[in-house]
Amino acid sequence: MTRSDEDSVPEEATQVLAQLARHGHVRGCVALTATDRRVIWSGGVAFASEAKLAQVVHFVRDTLDVIERHINILEPDDDLGILRIRTGKYELLITPST
C-alpha cells in the first residue's frame, strides 16, 4: 500500500521511496515534511495499517523533538544529519532535511 500527497513529493523522490519500500528486506518507508512533520508519502507492508503508520510517525516526531532540543543545547549551530535506531527486529533511519 502506498499513500502520498502528490503535490509535496518530487517525482524522483517518489520513485526512489517506492523502490526502497519494495526491497525484500525493507518493511516500509515514510516521508514527512520538515516543518510540521506531516506525512507526505508512505509505503510498504509495515504501513498497510493506518494505526501502525500513526504509531511510527508519533515515535519519529517525539524522538526528533527531543534530539533537536538537546542538539541545540550542546551546539546551537549544529543540525541532525542522520539518526539510526536499531532494535532486535527493526531498524529506523531518520534523515531530516529541509
Side-chain angles (χ1 to χ4, degrees):
M1 174 180 268
T2 300
R3 297 170 202 77
S4 79
D5 180 347
E6 297 298 331
D7 297 334
S8 302
V9 185
E11 180 61 31
E12 182 180 350
T14 299
Q15 291 173 359
V16 169
L17 289 166
Q19 184 177 8
L20 279 172
R22 285 190 303 267
H23 189 276
H25 296 288
V26 174
R27 307 254 320 131
C29 293
V30 177
L32 307 175
T33 59
T35 53
D36 60 359
R37 297 189 179 123
R38 181 177 43 85
V39 176
I40 55 174
W41 190 95
S42 69
V45 296
F47 304 124
S49 152
E50 289 286 334
K52 182 55 86 173
L53 176 62
Q55 288 174 334
V56 170
V57 169
H58 181 74
F59 172 75
V60 169
R61 286 175 180 156
D62 285 353
T63 302
L64 288 174
D65 286 343
V66 170
I67 288 170
E68 287 173 353
R69 188 171 57 246
H70 286 281
I71 286 175
N72 286 333
I73 291 168
L74 294 171
E75 194 65 50
D77 295 331
D78 206 358
D79 292 316
L80 177 64
I82 188 167
L83 174 64
R84 179 180 180 204
I85 302 171
R86 286 186 67 194
T87 68
K89 199 171 186 178
Y90 297 102
E91 181 173 23
L92 295 160
L93 297 174
I94 302 169
T95 57
S97 171
T98 56

